[in-house]
Amino acid sequence: MPHADVDLYAVGLPLVPGTQRPARAALVDGIAVWQDPAGGPWTCPVGRCPG
């Protein structure tokens, strides 16, 4: 199983655009991404999200 570490304490959790929800880290096809925890369509690769 692939493994990815995301240091959430150093960078904080990004907000899902247009909401006040913090994103959730996930591993999709071996790539660490941020996702909308409410199941919305937004995803962004960790380290590449506009901020």
Side-chain angles (χ1 to χ4, degrees):
M1 174 179 218
H3 179 87
D5 288 316
V6 178
D7 189 352
L8 303 179
Y9 297 105
V11 298
L13 295 172
L15 295 178
V16 175
T19 76
Q20 291 299 309
R21 287 189 301 276
R24 170 181 63 202
L27 196 59
V28 176
D29 296 328
I31 299 170
V33 298
W34 295 112
Q35 290 184 329
D36 184 347
W42 178 81
T43 62
C44 183
V46 171
R48 295 189 196 156
C49 297

